[in-house]
Amino acid sequence: MTAERDADVSLTAVLTLSGPARDAPGTLELHGPLEPLLLEAALARVAAGRPELRGTRPRTVRRGPGRHTLEADAPYPLGVLADLLTAAVPGPAGEHGAGGGKHRILARRQPVAALPELLALTPLQRELLSDTADRPQQQVAQLFQRWHGPLDTGRFTAAWQSVFDHETVLRSAFVWDPQPRIALHARARPEVVRHEHGALTWQALVEQERARGFGLGRPGPLRFALLDGAPQEPGDGCVPPTDVLLTYHRGLLDSRSVRLLLHEFYRAYLSASSPHGGERRPDLRDYRRWLSAQDPAPARDFWTRTGVAPSAGLPRARPGAVTGRQGTGRALARLTRAEAARLADWTARRGTTESGALQAVWAMVLFRTGGADRGPAPVGFHVTLSGRGIPMEGVEHIPGLFDNPLPMSLDVDPEGTVSALLRDVRDRVLDMAAYEWVSAGQIRQWRGLDADVDAPETLLSFEPRPRPLEGLTAQLAVQGIYVEEAAPVGGRTVFPMDVVAHHDHLGGLALTSVNDRGRLHDDHAAQMLAQSARLLRELPGSAGDSTTVAEALSTLADADAPRLYDRPTAAVDRRLVRLRGAARPGAVTVCLIAPPGTPLDRYVDLARHYQGPEALTVLRADVARMPEAVEALRPLLAAGARPVLGGFSGAGALACELARHIAAGSGRAPLVVVGAAHDADGDRVCGLTRALGAAARRAD
């Protein structure tokens, strides 16, 4: 994603803190053109988020062209201010200073750059960022679709630009102040990259895009990679299909949202002009306000009464046992179109759904892993609820992160009937849906459970049937275009095992499992998926009203019982990563601050541009684990190294918090340098490297 940004309005900031106390004086040096109205807007934004600061502001001293210093004697979040100013996006060309007379005066009253609007994270977003802080690839998800017919790259990009302009979430990013927040930017451009046939394989493209991750400080949680199909024989008149890979950040979007956005895109692609009129409302800001107004007491009462027993999941391997594997395993199973139709008819006649049947079958498979001869027992797993069944007008049309994995507990009686189990699943899901806005972390906290020990280990997700394109299919066909339904691409999993079900473009029901090889063997995950698919095929034809769970399970062949292994212990703490050593003895160390989930390639790119003799390191910092970050730096500090802390916009407040912790131990806070968000063309990277070099010379 390339945010619209002009080099001549890019600022860099250098912060000096006089000590560890929050009321210690500090200064913020700004290098680059500073529009007075932009500064006023930034100060007002800080005061709006911190009412106690109203009436308090740092002094502004102009040091020369493009050089200003802000001096704060009272407590003031200079890191937050630096992040706001360096993240400002320039206004459209011609917006300022155009026209004459009264219009010219009004134009000069507008700032030349737009500040991002800050928004608190939802509990679901906070937990996802925290759980995947050290594993950025788990924050990435992907959808795939095949485009048949002509695909004009310019028209494709322009259509997505229209959608980006309309949807606030597509112009969002993350900042830390030092707690994580969402930054809503005024503008962002979609990143569309097209690859010729033969440039790379499809699997290589999927892995490449997944490994890239997202620069969390840059707006745009959705990007596009196109891979052309094999050229056709001359004269056959056929256009080769194009594979389209949509990669998105799971902290801001879910798969249902991306499908909503695809519908908007098709309308824009078919329209000669933008089909939208301004921003969508309601949007994620309205949802956040709705969420803040909810009383958690009824939800707390429900979830504390209907929790999951800690022993209700997969049987555990013996303590200390390991799988000896790393990475992610995948397995596939599929019901044909006829089998899927038979399942849908069977569940409808029993007053439930296909997703309810999958949940009941999964409960039976989990029950079987504990032994075929046992009596009634609880089983527990997570199910993904849509999060859109809440009483908020228009929520079904808002793109964002709503899909919510919540714990489900069921009592499985082998002598009970399959029909009764289906009813239990249906009733439990209906009860859960009343509080589907609550996060799993809140539930664990209310019940006093440990996240690593007591959480169910598997997750079931059932993608809804694709929405009709409402006439768009025919309009696309007129232009010789047919696009297959978007399908999920299996990625990294936070759970030991995920299962995703979706209807494919042929009408079948596809089941995909993804397992953590360090916690569950591939063959065991594939076995459980195959057993589930077999039951979904056979039950509609064999299960009567009196068929028991034990009778249904008796059709499955005997196999080794799956075992869940303890989470592997990390061999090396990679919180501090060395990019390069110093070019001369005694040189300063530049420590780049990587907020949680930030891919390291952003900093490798910076290291290639950096010209100074200083050593370069990257530190993964998180306000919730600041002592660990300081501990990772301790060898450098003990050796007398004089670090300079730096980072892209969005890391300033986090770096200031770390500087205070360092000052508490050494008596002296390091300089903090903040530059504009990482930009693929290198302009902003070079601006930050120059500022880091100047700060390093001052600290030397």
Side-chain angles (χ1 to χ4, degrees):
M1 175 58 48
T2 303
E4 295 185 4
R5 197 183 295 274
D6 293 333
D8 61 350
V9 297
S10 179
L11 287 172
T12 55
V14 180
L15 296 93
T16 304
L17 304 176
S18 62
R22 295 192 180 278
D23 58 354
T27 61
L28 174 62
E29 302 171 30
L30 297 173
H31 301 269
L34 178 63
E35 171 67 25
L37 289 178
L38 173 65
L39 176 59
E40 291 299 322
L43 294 171
R45 183 68 54 79
V46 171
R50 293 170 170 79
E52 71 277 8
L53 293 179
R54 290 173 184 168
T56 301
R57 56 183 293 153
R59 295 186 302 276
T60 304
V61 181
R62 187 175 186 272
R63 303 292 185 184
R67 293 186 58 211
H68 296 79
T69 300
L70 305 183
E71 301 174 346
D73 295 329
Y76 198 86
L78 291 175
V80 175
L81 184 60
D83 283 332
L84 281 171
L85 292 171
T86 54
V89 177
E95 179 180 336
H96 312 291
K102 178 180 178 182
H103 295 289
R104 179 182 295 275
I105 294 173
L106 290 175
R108 284 201 299 267
R109 291 177 182 171
Q110 300 298 320
V112 298
L115 291 173
E117 179 181 350
L118 300 186
L119 185 68
L121 270 62
T122 66
L124 179 59
Q125 289 172 319
R126 281 199 306 270
E127 290 161 25
L128 186 142
L129 287 182
S130 176
D131 292 344
T132 60
D134 297 326
R135 299 176 295 277
Q137 289 191 22
Q138 291 182 353
Q139 298 179 358
V140 176
Q142 295 170 307
L143 290 178
F144 154 75
Q145 57 180 180
R146 178 157 290 169
W147 181 293
H148 300 270
L151 194 161
D152 183 291
T153 308
R155 185 177 170 188
F156 183 95
T157 304
W160 274 114
Q161 182 66 69
S162 171
V163 180
F164 271 56
D165 292 342
H166 183 57
E167 298 292 355
T168 310
V169 69
L170 293 180
R171 305 190 306 276
S172 60
F174 291 103
V175 296
W176 279 258
D177 68 350
Q179 298 291 343
R181 293 181 184 273
I182 295 174
L184 308 178
H185 290 257
R187 276 164 295 281
R189 289 201 297 262
E191 179 186 310
V192 179
V193 178
R194 189 163 190 167
H195 303 273
E196 295 181 354
H197 175 72
L200 72 174
T201 66
W202 171 252
Q203 189 58 40
L205 178 61
V206 169
E207 294 294 339
Q208 173 181 292
E209 289 298 309
R210 185 180 296 144
R212 282 182 59 194
F214 284 89
L216 302 189
R218 297 171 60 204
L222 175 65
R223 64 172 181 262
F224 315 90
L226 315 180
L227 182 61
D228 290 334
Q232 304 297 305
E233 293 294 330
D236 66 3
C238 294
V239 177
T242 302
D243 289 340
V244 180
L245 180 65
L246 300 94
T247 302
Y248 60 96
H249 194 283
R250 294 176 53 235
L252 292 166
L253 291 169
D254 55 33
S255 64
R256 299 172 199 240
S257 296
V258 177
R259 295 173 198 274
L260 284 173
L261 296 169
L262 278 169
H263 280 235
E264 289 190 53
F265 160 75
Y266 295 137
R267 294 188 184 91
Y269 192 87
L270 290 166
S271 175
S273 59
S274 173
H276 304 303
E279 290 186 345
R280 168 190 297 281
R281 297 306 289 263
D283 66 2
L284 66 167
R285 291 169 289 192
D286 303 291
Y287 171 67
R288 191 65 186 86
R289 280 192 286 272
W290 180 91
L291 196 60
S292 299
Q294 302 312 299
D295 180 5
R300 184 188 301 113
D301 179 64
F302 170 78
W303 286 108
T304 52
R305 286 187 291 104
T306 59
V308 178
S311 60
L314 288 169
R316 296 274 176 166
R318 59 179 175 80
V322 297
T323 65
R325 301 290 303 278
Q326 295 180 346
T328 301
R330 293 178 177 83
L332 302 173
R334 184 177 183 274
L335 275 65
T336 66
R337 184 188 186 110
E339 291 168 341
R342 188 161 56 247
L343 175 66
D345 178 68
W346 180 70
T347 55
R349 285 188 282 108
R350 280 160 176 75
T352 185
T353 61
E354 298 159 283
S355 61
L358 175 61
Q359 291 155 6
V361 160
W362 191 250
M364 293 164 62
V365 170
L366 286 178
F367 173 82
R368 189 173 185 267
T369 64
D373 300 328
R374 65 174 175 165
V379 297
F381 50 94
H382 277 81
V383 295
T384 299
L385 299 188
S386 73
R388 292 173 169 84
I390 61 176
M392 173 184 167
E393 185 177 358
V395 69
E396 67 275 11
H397 301 300
I398 302 176
L401 176 60
F402 292 90
D403 281 358
N404 193 2
L406 293 175
M408 171 183 278
S409 180
L410 294 167
D411 292 320
V412 178
D413 182 356
E415 299 305 316
T417 65
V418 172
S419 295
L421 182 59
L422 286 169
R423 290 193 296 270
D424 289 346
V425 169
R426 178 198 61 197
D427 295 344
R428 178 56 56 89
V429 170
L430 287 174
D431 289 342
M432 292 167 59
Y435 306 106
E436 60 182 319
W437 47 271
V438 171
S439 71
Q442 289 175 295
I443 296 170
R444 288 195 299 267
Q445 183 181 18
W446 292 337
R447 300 191 67 227
L449 299 179
D450 183 280
D452 292 328
V453 176
D454 300 317
E457 305 96 358
T458 57
L459 170 67
L460 293 185
S461 303
F462 201 109
E463 299 280 349
R465 286 184 179 273
R467 291 174 55 217
L469 290 181
E470 301 169 353
L472 296 177
T473 301
Q475 296 179 53
L476 289 168
V478 169
Q479 301 188 23
I481 298 170
Y482 166 68
V483 186
E484 296 178 12
E485 290 293 343
V489 179
R492 302 295 177 90
T493 174
V494 178
F495 291 81
M497 183 175 179
D498 288 356
V499 176
V500 178
H502 77 279
H503 293 94
D504 60 27
H505 70 286
L506 297 176
L509 181 62
L511 305 177
T512 305
S513 72
V514 179
N515 62 284
D516 181 347
R517 286 173 167 162
R519 305 207 63 196
L520 188 65
H521 284 296
D522 287 357
D523 55 349
H524 287 160
Q527 168 189 305
M528 295 170 67
L529 186 72
Q531 290 173 344
S532 301
R534 178 173 177 175
L535 289 173
L536 291 174
R537 290 190 193 99
E538 294 181 349
L539 287 177
S542 63
D545 291 340
S546 61
T547 301
T548 67
V549 169
E551 290 170 341
L553 289 174
S554 67
T555 64
L556 301 180
D558 291 336
D560 292 338
R563 290 291 182 266
L564 185 71
Y565 291 77
D566 292 336
R567 191 184 305 277
T569 302
V572 180
D573 183 6
R574 298 290 290 170
R575 193 171 299 278
L576 185 67
V577 179
R578 179 178 176 180
L579 296 180
R580 73 174 208 191
R584 61 174 174 78
V588 169
T589 296
V590 173
C591 184
L592 304 170
I593 305 304
T598 304
L600 292 183
D601 63 343
R602 272 67 179 162
Y603 305 94
V604 174
D605 188 25
L606 186 148
R608 286 197 296 266
H609 288 82
Y610 193 78
Q611 301 296 318
E614 293 78 24
L616 292 179
T617 61
V618 178
L619 177 67
R620 295 190 182 278
D622 183 350
V623 68
R625 293 179 287 181
M626 196 58 71
E628 290 94 326
V630 176
E631 185 64 28
L633 283 177
R634 195 167 302 284
L636 285 175
L637 300 173
R642 299 177 302 281
V644 169
L645 306 183
F648 298 107
S649 182
L654 203 56
C656 281
E657 187 70 15
L658 177 61
R660 289 192 179 93
H661 278 74
I662 293 173
S666 66
R668 180 181 177 186
L671 293 174
V672 174
V673 181
V674 184
H678 178 272
D679 194 301
D681 64 14
D683 288 344
R684 256 54 68 190
V685 174
C686 291
L688 178 55
T689 59
R690 288 191 294 269
L692 286 168
R697 290 190 291 273
R698 286 171 54 181
D700 201 344

